[in-house]
């Protein structure tokens, strides 16, 4: 468990009042947890933007009747085998498949993979959700 430190912060009173109201609505029991989550989010976003080490999930929605698309999807997953650490495939209905790619590694590689999937013809929707690795 990480060492906990206390520090003082000077803020605009109205800003803090609004922040406390918003985090209470979300269910945070302490301001420390909410501030910690904001700091973590900031660090992960900076890491993702600057080529840092991140983990996350890419979701893909597509029609499985498109055989060319299936081949392209497999090819790209092999091209990025270092980044793609696990794949879950869900048959949503007769036509549609949802794939969740667990990814980890350099954010530039994950961004390239995401862009390649997003722009692939036949893909209905793609999203990426990034988190930290520690
Ligand atoms: Ni399927």
């Amino acid at each position: 468990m990480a060492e906990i430190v206390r520090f003082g912060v000077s803020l605009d009173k109205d800003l803090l009042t609004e922040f406390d109201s918003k985090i209470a609505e979300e269910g945070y029991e302490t301001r420390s947890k909410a501030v910690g989550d904001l700091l973590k989010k900031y660090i992960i976003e900076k890491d993702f933007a600057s080529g840092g080490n991140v983990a996350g999930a890419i979701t893909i929605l597509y029609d499985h009747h498109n055989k060319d698309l299936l081949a392209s999807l497999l090819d790209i997953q092999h091209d990025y085998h270092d980044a793609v650490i696990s794949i879950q495939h869900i048959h949503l209905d007769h036509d549609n498949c949802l794939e969740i790619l667990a990814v980890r590694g350099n954010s530039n590689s994950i961004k390239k993979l995401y862009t390649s999937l997003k722009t692939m013809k036949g893909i209905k929707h793609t999203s990426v959700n990034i988190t930290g690795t520690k």
Side-chain angles (χ1 to χ4, degrees), residues 1-2 24 38 49 51 54 74-75 95-96 99 118 130:
M1 184 129 177
L38 280 179
V54 295
L74 268 181
D75 283 346
D95 300 318
N96 294 294
E99 270 189 18
K118 186 171 66 172
I130 293 299

Side-chain angles (χ1 to χ4, degrees), residues 29-48:
E29 292 180 6
T30 66
R31 188 184 285 155
S32 293
K33 170 67 173 149
V35 170
D37 283 359
L38 280 179
L39 295 177
K40 190 72 180 173
K41 181 173 185 273
Y42 174 80
I43 290 166
I44 290 167
E45 285 174 357
K46 294 295 280 183
D47 283 346
F48 188 59

Side-chain angles (χ1 to χ4, degrees), residues 50-98:
S50 64
N53 199 38
V54 295
I58 297 174
T59 60
I60 313 164
L61 176 67
Y62 62 93
D63 184 334
H64 83 108
H65 297 299
N66 186 338
K67 301 306 176 196
D68 290 341
L69 175 61
L70 290 181
S72 299
L73 272 176
L74 268 181
D75 283 346
I76 197 164
Q77 289 173 13
H78 279 270
D79 288 345
Y80 288 87
H81 62 88
D82 285 340
V84 180
I85 52 177
S86 176
I87 300 164
Q88 184 172 22
H89 184 105
I90 297 112
H91 310 301
L92 284 180
D93 57 31
H94 180 71
D95 300 318
N96 294 294
C97 299
L98 170 66

